[in-house]
Amino acid sequence: MFRKNLLLLFFVALKILLQFVLVHPAYDLHRDEYLHLDQGSHLAWGYVSIPPFTSWISWIIDALGGGDALVNFFPALFGALTMVVVWKTIEALNGNIYALVLAAVSIIFSALLRLNMLYQPNSFDILCWTFLYFCVVKYTLHYNARWLWAAAVTVGIGLLNKYNIAFALVGLAPALLLSRHRVVFGKRTLYLAGLLALILVAPNIYWQYKHEFPVVAHMKELAATQLVNVNRGDFLREQLLFFFGSLPVLLAGIFSLLFYKPFRQYRFLFWSLIFTLAIFTYLKAKGYYAIGIYPVYIGFGAVFLEKVLVNRWQQRWIRPLLIVLPIALTALAARLIFPLLPPEQLVTKKEKLAKLGLLRWEDGKDHQLPQDFADMLGWKELAGIVDSAYSKLADKEHTLVLCNNYGQAGAINYYSKNKLHAVTFNADYINWFPNNKPWVNLVLVKEAGEAPVTEKEKILFSSVKLAGKINNEYAREYGTSVFVASGASPEVTMIIEQQRQRRLAEDQ
């Protein structure tokens, strides 16, 4: 037991450490991270794009003093805990040291290594999927009701993090109904546990109701602007890449549920996988939405390979090969799939990146850098330009920093030395406009080539001047410009409020 715990501690430390060394200092935080961090300063039971859980973590980060290290720590921690849950699943399946090590390596050296770089709801979402499957496995072993309660708490908290976990339930329900475990639907505890999950998520449901379900408008916008560019074939191909180095382990886990007698009672997990992937494919979901499905199958595969290929068939040469394979493949591709190189060096590998599909953005087109990397550039530069422009204004109290998108606003708020409160008509910032009206000055952040104001609006200001623009050609925000519109007439405040109300109405 001591040996196992020591090994587990080693892998947890390795997982967290790797997340800190795989990002070159040339990169800032990611566009989405700034929004999530700002949500910690505006605690609520819901937001336009996500439920409240991430905002609670943001509040903790701020309470602990903030900083990039803390921001990076939490997704790394959630990734490490995902590995711990798989470890515990293997112990429940009577796996030994080799299976534990194989699964740990397979989880660490996978797509999770890249996903856990970013402070987004996805890392905790995958942890919740994995723990939900673990609870189901434990329940089907001895029908101990406490695992139904644990599953309910997992679903409730998971829904407060990201609604994506609902698809795990949609896949599990028919799979269980088709298995001998369908008896669970006759258990009163199941429905009481379901009620507990509903109670946990009820405040967020009420928030959605009170705000006329902005999540619906968000999903429509997502479908129209991003999911429309998703190809169902690409979605399925991506599933093979997430755990490419440990694909033998993953496939062994999936198919052992059909053919390996000791796993017969878990066969419903095979059908759960089929049902869940079918739903995601039909809805043209982004590939990474489904990553949470796989860690538990890695656990089954590791146990199967240990028991059959190694112990029964005495194929001991496979032992080191299966462990080395994911490490070697990750090491070979590391400079392409992680931001280890500064952007000016990474673009020299453009052809290789394109072949791997890493240059395809959500607009369906190829660009110079992977979208996530381009979204990690130019933010400090932008905040510096805004700070410089703001510091030269006389009436700072009645100055509004108005941006085009949430990334700009969040990055300015995060990096600004003046503790600015930048806003935008985009995302949750529409509800966070400051109250120190009327506005005398506007610091306007506009996308490349976009005019600060219309010809008609120019007469509403005494002057409109360019303060600077982002010059990092590799940034997604390359060319984004900062303008200072000073000496605003009283009509400007009214126009801004009208635009805000119009956007609120559109979102609803």
Side-chain angles (χ1 to χ4, degrees):
M1 180 61 71
F2 176 77
R3 185 184 175 192
K4 287 183 180 180
N5 290 337
L6 197 61
L7 266 176
L8 179 57
L9 184 61
F10 166 77
F11 283 120
V12 167
L14 175 64
K15 168 64 177 171
I16 294 175
L17 177 64
L18 283 173
Q19 300 301 159
F20 281 87
V21 301
L22 289 174
V23 181
H24 192 276
Y27 296 90
D28 303 330
L29 295 180
H30 184 276
R31 169 190 303 272
D32 293 347
E33 294 178 290
Y34 301 115
L35 170 61
H36 301 320
L37 290 166
D38 256 353
Q39 288 168 342
S41 301
H42 303 272
L43 294 179
W45 276 106
Y47 300 92
V48 172
S49 56
I50 60 171
F53 181 85
T54 304
S55 70
W56 303 341
I57 303 299
S58 296
W59 184 90
I60 293 172
I61 290 172
D62 186 61
L64 292 175
D68 291 4
L70 269 174
V71 175
N72 295 327
F73 170 74
F74 280 95
L77 174 65
F78 298 146
L81 290 176
T82 299
M83 183 191 64
V84 171
V85 175
V86 174
W87 187 284
K88 294 301 177 182
T89 303
I90 290 171
E91 290 183 339
L93 297 174
N94 297 316
N96 294 314
I97 291 291
Y98 177 74
L100 294 170
V101 171
L102 178 59
V105 170
S106 298
I107 294 296
I108 291 175
F109 296 94
S110 69
L112 294 186
L113 204 53
R114 178 163 170 171
L115 186 142
N116 295 149
M117 290 190 315
L118 302 178
Y119 178 62
Q120 297 174 335
N122 301 318
S123 294
F124 190 75
D125 181 54
I126 292 169
L127 172 59
C128 288
W129 279 66
T130 307
F131 194 75
L132 173 62
Y133 289 131
F134 170 71
C135 290
V136 174
V137 167
K138 292 290 285 185
Y139 177 77
T140 54
L141 272 173
H142 304 295
Y143 292 111
N144 189 322
R146 69 174 180 172
W147 292 109
L148 290 179
W149 293 109
V153 172
T154 303
V155 170
I157 296 176
L159 287 170
L160 288 175
N161 171 69
K162 190 173 183 179
Y163 303 124
N164 192 48
I165 196 173
F167 291 103
L169 295 178
V170 174
L172 273 170
L176 285 168
L177 278 170
L178 292 173
S179 74
R180 66 181 184 179
H181 302 298
R182 69 179 66 91
V183 294
V184 70
F185 292 99
K187 304 285 185 181
R188 181 183 174 209
T189 305
L190 175 68
Y191 302 100
L192 291 175
L195 180 61
L196 173 61
L198 184 61
I199 290 172
L200 288 173
V201 79
N204 177 249
I205 296 174
Y206 177 73
W207 184 93
Q208 287 285 345
Y209 167 77
K210 187 177 178 181
H211 292 81
E212 300 187 36
F213 292 93
V215 67
V216 176
H218 174 72
M219 291 305 298
K220 287 181 179 178
E221 182 181 358
L222 184 67
T225 60
Q226 297 183 29
L227 299 186
V228 69
N229 298 312
V230 175
N231 179 284
R232 291 188 175 95
D234 289 342
F235 169 85
L236 292 173
R237 280 190 290 272
E238 284 179 33
Q239 305 310 303
L240 299 175
L241 297 177
F242 295 138
F243 293 88
F244 185 72
S246 50
L247 203 55
V249 184
L250 177 59
L251 294 177
I254 293 171
F255 290 104
S256 68
L257 295 168
L258 290 177
F259 305 115
Y260 186 47
K261 189 174 180 180
F263 289 169
R264 184 178 298 172
Q265 64 178 313
Y266 308 113
R267 187 170 295 174
F268 67 90
L269 285 173
F270 175 87
W271 297 110
S272 176
L273 171 74
I274 300 301
F275 291 139
T276 308
L277 283 179
I279 294 165
F280 276 137
T281 305
Y282 174 75
L283 294 175
K284 298 178 70 174
K286 293 183 180 181
Y288 71 85
Y289 288 3
I291 294 181
I293 297 174
Y294 304 112
V296 71
Y297 296 91
I298 293 287
F300 276 91
V303 174
F304 172 75
L305 291 171
E306 179 185 64
K307 300 291 186 183
V308 176
L309 291 185
V310 177
N311 292 348
R312 185 182 301 176
W313 295 350
Q314 299 296 310
Q315 301 297 317
R316 298 191 181 278
W317 60 272
I318 294 180
R319 282 179 178 261
L321 177 63
L322 291 175
I323 291 175
V324 169
L325 188 60
I327 300 173
L329 290 177
T330 301
L332 287 172
R335 290 178 177 267
L336 298 177
I337 60 179
F338 304 110
L340 281 166
L341 297 175
E344 58 271 13
Q345 292 184 31
L346 191 58
V347 293
T348 63
K349 304 180 182 297
K350 189 174 180 179
E351 291 185 7
K352 292 181 179 179
L353 289 166
K355 287 180 181 179
L356 292 172
L358 296 174
L359 297 182
R360 182 69 54 87
W361 288 13
E362 61 194 23
D363 61 5
K365 301 176 183 178
D366 280 3
H367 295 263
Q368 288 193 94
L369 291 178
Q371 181 172 313
D372 281 346
F373 299 177
D375 270 331
M376 297 164 67
L377 295 167
W379 303 117
K380 289 179 182 176
E381 184 182 0
L382 173 64
I385 297 169
V386 172
D387 262 350
S388 178
Y390 178 83
S391 64
K392 296 174 184 176
L393 294 171
D395 191 350
K396 295 180 175 60
E397 183 180 353
H398 296 97
T399 296
L400 178 68
V401 181
L402 186 59
C403 305
N404 258 24
N405 61 60
Y406 66 82
Q408 298 164 355
I412 291 167
N413 293 340
Y414 183 78
Y415 289 115
S416 170
K417 296 178 181 178
N418 290 302
K419 297 183 179 180
L420 297 178
H421 188 95
V423 291
T424 174
F425 297 124
N426 180 244
D428 297 289
Y429 291 93
I430 195 73
N431 297 310
W432 300 340
F433 272 61
N435 296 317
N436 45 329
K437 307 169 186 177
W439 305 120
V440 175
N441 304 304
L442 299 183
V443 177
L444 300 170
V445 182
K446 296 291 182 178
E447 293 179 359
E450 185 179 4
V453 294
T454 65
E455 288 298 322
K456 292 183 178 180
E457 291 171 338
K458 279 185 179 180
I459 62 172
L460 301 176
F461 302 92
S462 61
S463 70
V464 179
K465 296 179 180 179
L466 175 66
K469 63 181 180 180
I470 294 179
N471 291 310
N472 189 331
E473 62 179 298
Y474 304 112
R476 190 177 177 187
E477 292 282 337
Y478 174 56
T480 291
S481 302
V482 178
F483 297 88
V484 177
S486 56
S489 69
E491 190 178 353
V492 169
T493 300
M494 180 182 67
I495 292 172
I496 290 173
E497 183 58 25
Q498 287 174 346
Q499 290 178 333
R500 192 177 79 89
Q501 292 299 330
R502 190 182 306 118
R503 181 54 191 267
L504 280 170
E506 290 172 359
D507 288 344
Q508 293 173 352

